[in-house]
């Protein structure tokens, strides 16, 4: 076997997963307390290294599933971080991904991390290396995406109330939204299916449940529809 590049520097390539979840009221971030050096016992994103037989998307999906049991969730590549001294252990380039999940619908049956914990995105601790920078970038990306694409629904259960939807967008955008204006805007988009079911947990009258209609949305996009909150 020829070694064409044996004289070149060898650099590790990692993937780090920024896992956002919504608990029905607040946007959360899943972190783990690191159990090895360097930076042992400090909070960190979930990550791992690229293997020779996979591409970056496959590596991110593998790391996510291997450590949390999560699969088939929204996963998007964010940015590449390559500062020379970003990792005190060894020269490492990291490609960050962010994932979106509904916390209530995922039981994390396969989770292998005893120290994993959900944090309010407003109360994130100091993280290892440049992970705080990654999180900040992911939050900015999520805010932009949520206003122009229906990715916010990835953070909700299959059936949800209009109040839950508004709370989600308020959490993502970090601002209070007028109830009437928000409801009118969502209804104008015409991408929800109103169900003949109610959530009775918060009041005797109950609140109607809705579902995101992916087929209707896809057909509207083909006709030039633009999702905008």
């Amino acid at each position: 076997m020829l070694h064409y590049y044996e004289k070149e520097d060898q650099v590790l390539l990692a993937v780090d997963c920024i896992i956002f979840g919504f608990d029905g009221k607040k946007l959360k971030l899943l972190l783990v307390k690191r159990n090895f050096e360097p930076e042992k016992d400090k909070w960190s994103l979930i990550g791992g290294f690229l293997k020779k037989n996979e591409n970056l998307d496959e590596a991110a999906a593998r790391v996510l599933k291997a450590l949390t049991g999560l699969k088939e969730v929204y996963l998007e590549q964010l940015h590449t971080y390559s500062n020379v001294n970003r990792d005190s252990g060894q020269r490492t380039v990291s490609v960050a991904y962010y994932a979106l999940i509904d916390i209530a619908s995922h039981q994390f049956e396969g989770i292998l991390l005893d120290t994993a914990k959900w944090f309010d995105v407003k109360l994130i601790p100091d993280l290892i290396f440049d992970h705080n920078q990654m999180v900040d970038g992911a939050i900015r990306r999520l805010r932009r995406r949520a206003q122009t694409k229906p990715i916010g629904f990835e953070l909700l259960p299959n059936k949800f109330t209009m109040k839950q939807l508004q709370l989600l967008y308020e959490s993502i955008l970090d601002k209070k939204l007028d109830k009437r204006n928000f409801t009118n805007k969502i209804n104008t988009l015409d991408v929800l299916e109103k169900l003949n079911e109610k959530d009775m947990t918060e009041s005797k009258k109950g609140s109607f449940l809705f579902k995101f209609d992916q087929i209707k949305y896809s057909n509207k996009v083909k006709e030039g529809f633009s999702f905008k909150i």
Side-chain angles (χ1 to χ4, degrees):
M1 181 177 179
L2 296 176
H3 299 281
Y4 295 109
Y5 310 119
E6 62 182 5
K7 294 182 180 180
E8 301 299 330
D9 291 346
Q10 303 300 304
V11 178
L12 291 176
L13 185 58
V15 291
D16 285 297
C17 296
I18 304 156
I19 305 173
F20 291 117
F22 184 63
D23 65 0
K25 294 182 178 180
K26 294 182 178 180
L27 186 65
K28 300 291 186 70
L29 177 70
L30 186 65
L31 299 174
V32 61
K33 187 166 286 189
R34 194 170 166 97
N35 60 3
F36 56 90
E37 297 291 355
E39 307 291 346
K40 185 179 179 180
D41 294 328
K42 293 186 178 181
W43 290 105
S44 166
L45 296 172
I46 292 170
F49 293 98
L50 179 75
K51 296 186 180 297
K52 292 181 179 179
N53 63 344
E54 62 186 1
N55 61 38
L56 285 166
D57 290 353
E58 292 168 343
R62 171 181 56 80
V63 167
L64 192 66
K65 183 177 184 300
L67 298 181
T68 68
L70 295 173
K71 58 181 179 179
E72 297 180 358
V73 299
Y74 185 91
L75 193 62
E76 180 180 332
Q77 187 177 132
L78 175 67
H79 188 70
T80 300
Y81 296 83
S82 61
N83 285 347
V84 174
N85 299 315
R86 61 169 301 277
D87 188 326
S88 57
Q90 189 172 333
R91 177 74 171 103
T92 304
V93 172
S94 180
V95 180
Y97 283 76
Y98 72 97
L100 305 177
I101 67 165
D102 160 41
I103 295 175
S105 299
H106 294 83
Q107 301 302 315
F108 298 96
E109 295 176 354
I111 197 162
L112 301 177
L113 303 171
D114 294 334
T115 58
K117 180 180 177 181
W118 287 104
F119 285 83
D120 186 324
V121 292
K122 293 183 178 180
L123 301 172
I124 297 170
D126 288 334
L127 306 178
I128 67 168
F129 308 150
D130 49 6
H131 288 192
N132 283 96
Q133 182 183 352
M134 293 181 182
V135 173
D136 289 343
I139 291 174
R140 290 194 299 270
R141 172 77 66 84
L142 177 58
R143 285 175 180 165
R144 293 196 301 270
R145 285 281 193 272
Q147 294 180 82
T148 58
K149 291 185 178 182
I151 66 170
F153 296 102
E154 302 286 348
L155 290 158
L156 289 168
N158 188 43
K159 301 175 183 179
F160 51 86
T161 65
M162 191 63 71
K163 180 180 179 180
Q164 288 176 315
L165 182 60
Q166 180 173 339
L167 286 172
L168 169 64
Y169 272 89
E170 288 179 340
S171 295
I172 293 174
L173 302 177
D174 192 25
K175 66 179 181 180
K176 190 71 176 177
L177 301 173
D178 179 79
K179 179 180 178 180
R180 179 178 295 179
N181 289 341
F182 179 80
T183 301
N184 289 340
K185 180 63 177 178
I186 293 297
N187 288 334
T188 300
L189 293 173
D190 190 28
V191 293
L192 299 186
E193 175 188 354
K194 186 176 182 180
L195 306 176
N196 191 28
E197 302 176 46
K198 285 188 174 182
D199 177 1
M200 306 298 296
T201 59
E202 294 193 4
S203 69
K204 292 182 179 180
K205 183 179 179 181
S207 301
F208 278 105
L209 291 167
F210 296 83
K211 290 178 65 176
F212 174 64
D213 193 328
Q214 180 64 56
I215 295 177
K216 179 183 283 189
Y217 170 73
S218 298
N219 289 334
K220 288 169 72 71
V221 169
K222 292 176 183 178
E223 298 170 358
F225 170 76
S226 178
F227 182 94
K228 189 173 183 180
I229 296 295

